Amino acid sequence: MLYRQPSSPNQLLLHTSCAEDLYSIYHLQRHLCWYESILWPEDMKQSHGRIHVFFSEDDDIVPTSFINDYLEKSNIDTTVLSDFKHVLSNLKIGLLGAGRMSQALARSLIERNVVSSKDQIMASDVDENQRNIVASQLGIVTTADNREVVKESDLLILAVKPKDVESVLKTIREPLLPHYHLLVSIAAGIRTTTIEQLLKPNSRVIRVMPNVACLVNASCSVYSSGKFATTDDRSVVNTIFSSIGSCEGEIDENLLNAVTALSGSGPAYFSVLVEALADGGVKSGLSRSMALTLAIKTMLGTAQLLLGKEQPFHPSQLKDAVASPGGTTIYGLEMMEKAGIRAALMETVTAATNRAAQLES
Ligand SMILES: NC(=O)C1=CN([C@@H]2O[C@H](COP(=O)(O)OP(=O)(O)OC[C@H]3O[C@@H](n4cnc5c(N)ncnc54)[C@H](OP(=O)(O)O)[C@@H]3O)[C@@H](O)[C@H]2O)C=CC1
Ligand SMILES: O=C(O)[C@@H]1CCC=N1
């Protein structure tokens, strides 16, 4: 870890925060006698108790597969915990606003072991009811005072509605230290420059657009960095938002309103489609519950085919594969075209993009 050249964002973060940190280097290279700290397989075998070594598959510090192979050759029992990462062990995360999105984020960070303990997360909310839900269901410390969260955290996630952003930022301006804190906003339509202007000069800001599917770890997020955010800041944001689904990378901030309109609002559009298709099933005689189940599972299966790990379908390819000549599907598709569904969906995203732009001004 001290000598390795970083080859991933997390390794880069470790490299700059630990491997290049003066005190870490001084301590690890001067005061630690490695030969006194190594537990050799031979010593393990001689120990009286049974030894079983557990690894995290995606550990950025420990070269898991290398050590696992070595221990297996030495007949030591091991288990590699798939999908486990080395935790963001020291980062303290503060949630400003403890509503739907914050709760989903916190739950994922804890359940997916991105943080090592619940104590690494704190949340504030004006609503006592929300605070009680978060405290009782997630075991997180809560407060009504946003400033307290800032004082206790390294990274802040601003998760209040856009209309409340300005007042929250004014409250936390004083305790928020530009060289220390990173502010990550998920508020729709609030630009990083607007946020930066409300904070102290040089404040580090990143704007992210996730979606509500973070409740089931299936969000897809995109982000834009403010003027002063660093490479390490982007790396941490990547780690956090990958833990609630996927993080699709950075985008020009001018396009973030379109992202908000497509994937941020998208779960609402797909819900309407599913409901309408189920209504059609009911009209044709299916029970409500059967119709809903079929509509939902058809959406899920279609998404899996379009994403296809090995051979993804293009949407038009999949449509053509389903619509046989003179069959049922092509009659249904004709009706969709007559109703102008394509134009309606395009206009849907355009209208939501325009609304996000209105929120900006
Ligand atoms: N919901 C979604 O699908 C998505 C939302 N977003 C964005 O995420 C943000 C949060 O959304 P969501 O979680 O749905 O919203 P919620 O309304 O569920 O949560 C926001 C919480 O913040 C509280 N709050 C309001 N003012 C303050 C304040 N001054 N200090 C502390 N807490 C305050 C609210 O209390 P009260 O209700 O009493 O005002 C509420 O409990 C929004 O900006 C939205 O644009 C982004 C992607 C998807
Ligand atoms: O409707 C909204 O304002 C938010 C932004 C994306 C999803 N919900």
Side-chain angles (χ1 to χ4, degrees):
M1 193 264 287
L2 285 182
Y3 303 102
R4 174 187 58 198
Q5 280 309 306
S7 63
S8 70
N10 284 349
Q11 287 183 8
L12 183 68
L13 177 65
L14 266 168
H15 192 75
T16 41
S17 61
C18 303
E20 286 187 347
D21 174 76
L22 185 61
Y23 292 102
S24 303
I25 294 175
Y26 181 70
H27 186 79
L28 290 172
Q29 296 189 342
R30 292 287 167 92
H31 290 288
L32 192 81
C33 295
W34 292 103
Y35 61 86
E36 285 177 0
S37 308
I38 292 173
L39 184 59
W40 296 104
E42 291 70 28
D43 301 330
M44 291 190 197
K45 284 180 198 155
Q46 277 169 16
S47 86
H48 296 299
R50 189 166 159 243
I51 293 212
H52 193 117
V53 180
F54 291 86
F55 294 100
S56 302
E57 187 184 34
D58 298 328
D59 199 313
D60 275 317
I61 296 181
V62 176
T64 295
S65 67
F66 179 76
I67 303 181
N68 188 45
D69 287 351
Y70 174 62
L71 291 183
E72 276 180 353
K73 280 183 196 137
S74 311
N75 294 322
I76 301 288
D77 291 337
T78 63
T79 300
V80 177
L81 301 166
S82 60
D83 273 356
F84 271 59
K85 296 178 180 13
H86 198 97
V87 291
L88 288 173
S89 48
N90 296 318
L91 194 75
K92 293 226 166 187
I93 299 175
L95 302 168
L96 298 162
R100 198 175 306 109
M101 296 300 286
S102 278
Q103 288 172 30
L105 256 164
R107 193 182 298 277
S108 292
L109 292 173
I110 295 165
E111 282 175 2
R112 302 189 76 125
N113 299 304
V114 180
V115 290
S116 54
S117 133
K118 292 172 181 179
D119 301 340
Q120 277 176 253
I121 307 180
M122 188 177 185
S124 58
D125 203 291
V126 285
D127 183 345
E128 189 183 358
N129 193 31
Q130 293 285 36
R131 293 200 301 273
N132 289 341
I133 292 174
V134 171
S136 62
Q137 292 185 2
L138 299 171
I140 290 173
V141 175
T142 61
T143 169
D145 184 354
N146 292 321
R147 281 168 298 200
E148 201 184 330
V149 168
V150 175
K151 283 180 194 151
E152 293 295 324
S153 310
D154 308 309
L155 182 147
L156 294 147
I157 298 185
L158 182 61
V160 295
K161 293 284 185 208
K163 68 176 176 54
D164 298 317
V165 164
E166 187 173 341
S167 75
V168 172
L169 292 178
K170 281 183 175 160
T171 321
I172 63 169
R173 188 179 190 281
E174 212 32 56
L176 196 130
L177 308 172
H179 62 278
Y180 188 82
H181 293 106
L182 166 65
L183 186 116
V184 177
S185 166
I186 63 165
I190 310 287
R191 290 191 79 91
T192 52
T193 43
T194 308
I195 298 173
E196 284 163 359
Q197 277 159 16
L198 288 160
L199 298 174
K200 289 194 186 121
N202 302 335
S203 289
R204 287 147 50 215
V205 176
I206 294 187
R207 183 177 158 200
V208 187
M209 186 43 59
N211 71 26
V212 73
C214 60
L215 282 165
V216 289
N217 291 329
S219 168
C220 47
S221 307
V222 177
Y223 65 91
S224 298
S225 308
K227 274 201 282 301
F228 308 103
T230 65
T231 309
D232 290 353
D233 294 337
R234 293 183 188 89
S235 176
V236 174
V237 161
N238 236 306
T239 302
I240 290 178
F241 287 86
S242 297
S243 81
I244 55 162
S246 66
C247 187
E248 303 297 333
E250 183 156 21
I251 202 168
D252 184 321
E253 192 170 359
N254 292 325
L255 292 172
L256 213 53
N257 288 341
V259 171
T260 305
L262 178 57
S263 55
S265 305
Y269 315 148
F270 284 110
S271 297
V272 169
L273 289 181
V274 162
E275 198 180 28
L277 290 170
D279 280 347
V282 172
K283 193 175 172 196
S284 297
L286 294 176
S287 71
R288 172 62 59 186
S289 70
M290 174 62 85
L292 257 183
T293 303
L294 293 180
I296 294 166
K297 292 202 171 166
T298 303
M299 177 173 68
L300 180 66
T302 307
Q304 283 170 349
L305 284 168
L306 295 174
L307 276 173
K309 273 197 183 130
E310 274 161 28
Q311 228 185 342
F313 276 93
H314 185 276
S316 59
Q317 215 184 2
L318 185 55
K319 179 200 70 149
D320 290 354
V322 179
S324 41
T328 57
T329 313
I330 196 70
Y331 278 75
L333 287 170
E334 185 187 20
M335 197 46 79
M336 290 178 90
E337 298 295 353
K338 273 187 184 157
I341 193 151
R342 285 173 191 263
L345 291 174
M346 284 171 70
E347 287 300 319
T348 300
V349 177
T350 310
T353 308
N354 293 342
R355 175 61 186 150
Q358 270 175 6
L359 289 175
E360 276 184 355
S361 45

